[in-house]
Amino acid sequence: MTRVAAAQLAAGTDVEANLAACLRMIDAAAEARAELVVLPEFCNHLSWYADRAHARRMACTLGDAFLSTIAQRAERHGLFVKIGVTLARSDGRTTGTSLLYGPDGELLGESDKQILMGAENDYLDIGQDDSPVIDTPLGRIGMYACMEGVINEVTRSLTVRGAQLLLNSLNSFATDEASLHIPVRAAENRVWVVAANKVGPLLPEDQLPAIAERLGVPADRLHGAGESQIVAPDGTCVAMAPATGEAIVVADIDIARADDKQRADGTDILAARRPELYAPLGSSFTGRRARAGAETMAAAIADPSADTISALAFDGVDLIVLPELAALPVADIARAVHGTTAHVVSTVLDGDAHHGVLINADGVVARQPQLHATARHPWCTALGDELTVVELPWGRLALVVGDDALFPETFRLAAIQDADVVAVPCTPTEPWELRLGLPERAAENRLNVVAAGRGASGLTGGIYGLSPDFTLWTAWSGPFTGVISHPLVTTVPPRASSARATIRPAQAVNRTVSRGTDLVDGRPRRPIDAMTTTSEQL
């Protein structure tokens, strides 16, 4: 077992005070007998500057007094220290950089942030290289920072290149970091994640009231959201700090547990990937289509009952998703919606293939083969070779079939084709899939996700709708809650045969999570090289 720690602290414009806080937390980790400690992002200075020249003046350089002191403290205690700072590079770039120091004080690795958040784009330069996987006596370590964990590419690349332990340094006021974006990266990749966030003001204290008033949010919502945490490969949080106040959390973890990528049904979640299908993810983004989807529409998930489907369709539901392999013939589904404009999504066996089918009153209007082979359906050997998107009166729809929902790449393929809604007939078998996986697929891609499955107690799944209250750069209909991208979730009431919700296809067009930061168009290209490379080629 390895004892790891996540430390949260406040950092302002006083560099000496910031250094003292870092040293205090390293000392606390050592006192707790940790072998590794993760510190937050931008520990040297607030990520708020007058201009790029100011940012460069305040940045560290490798071997300067600030970083040398951090290295010396790591050596004094004989522990690994991961810290996030800004770095003034010799080539003129200023980067947001994660650094890992070893127990001998040596710099073991560095990683420049590959997607910047909001105003960071004004002051910093985007990292040019993918984050390295660092082989250490503790295990294989990967580093990332804040916004890099709000999308899936950086952590996915680290995982497919062999990382077991991912270290995330954050500088975030978003409450859905702790509830969603941090733990999902552990679960979807079956790795350990140690994440350290800031607390205290993230903007200069003398300017904070005016900035908060301009944005229309309470000033305390622009503080670091804390809740630094350590997450197991199944997405379970094993230690979490409070939302406020300097703190350190520790846990004893078995890093080798991250080598087990096998689900209970025998599926290896990395071996089942199909890198050749993901090549379009590396293409340049071509821009939005001219017409957005409908402002609102009604969606539902339902048991495979003709009466239930008919009642929903005649009550104005536009899209109804059934669990996969529903025992209801296509002809019966078509009859159930006859006289309405409703569409129903189910799946069927077609020889050695598992097809998602889109059905209206005229019958099947579109098919989508399952793309990934998994042990749960060993008979499914005839796989599809692309994800297609269907144009409907209310927007663009993608079908994600069965276990294709386990792979974040599947939904990314839908996003780059401008899908508004994704229908997911599936069978969730692990708790993280509904709690973290499907909400993140909606959040990181700005997709409305409608997912239906069957569980031990009957109908399960959820409707994950896009909120019009998205980021601080759009007007909110209510008070700002601190949630940036988490979808609105509708679950199935106990023993219910259906659940319905209003979703907003038009909201899928807005992917600007902060000024200058697009969740889809801004996806970093270097990690995609690893994601689209076969294991034999890596």
Side-chain angles (χ1 to χ4, degrees), residues 87-98:
L87 273 186
R89 296 288 188 180
S90 59
D91 60 4
R93 293 179 301 126
T94 305
T95 56
T97 303
S98 295

Side-chain angles (χ1 to χ4, degrees), residues 190 259-270 375 430:
R190 297 181 99 87
D259 292 331
D260 182 6
K261 304 299 184 185
Q262 196 168 90
R263 290 166 60 83
D265 63 16
T267 300
D268 184 307
I269 61 151
L270 291 191
E430 295 181 347

Side-chain angles (χ1 to χ4, degrees), residues 33-48:
R33 301 190 304 280
E35 297 170 72
L36 176 147
V37 62
V38 179
L39 302 178
E41 185 181 31
F42 303 137
C43 283
N44 58 312
H45 192 275
L46 281 177
S47 60
W48 187 271

Side-chain angles (χ1 to χ4, degrees), residues 38 78 86 147 164 167 186 190 254 272 280 312 366 372 401 484 491 516:
V38 179
T86 54
M147 183 60 209
Q164 300 164 299
L167 312 180
R190 297 181 99 87
D254 178 6
L312 290 167
H372 300 86
V401 181
I484 289 297
T491 57

Side-chain angles (χ1 to χ4, degrees), residues 97-168:
T97 303
S98 295
L99 302 172
L100 180 66
Y101 290 96
D104 58 359
E106 292 298 311
L107 179 61
L108 301 180
E110 52 189 275
S111 171
D112 294 339
K113 194 173 184 180
Q114 298 173 72
I115 178 169
L116 301 176
M117 181 68 163
E120 295 169 16
N121 290 282
D122 297 334
Y123 312 126
L124 303 178
D125 296 290
I126 292 175
Q128 299 175 343
D129 299 309
D130 204 359
S131 182
V133 176
I134 305 163
D135 207 351
T136 76
L138 301 184
R140 298 181 300 277
I141 293 175
M143 300 186 292
Y144 66 110
C146 205
M147 183 60 209
E148 291 182 311
V150 177
I151 56 175
N152 69 76
E153 281 83 0
V154 174
T155 53
R156 195 61 154 179
S157 169
L158 287 165
T159 300
V160 300
R161 288 183 286 126
Q164 300 164 299
L165 174 62
L166 302 185
L167 312 180
N168 182 10

Side-chain angles (χ1 to χ4, degrees), residues 452-477:
R454 293 288 296 177
S457 58
L459 180 68
T460 187
I463 301 171
Y464 307 91
L466 297 180
S467 171
D469 291 335
F470 175 54
T471 82
L472 289 178
W473 304 105
T474 53
W476 278 55
S477 59

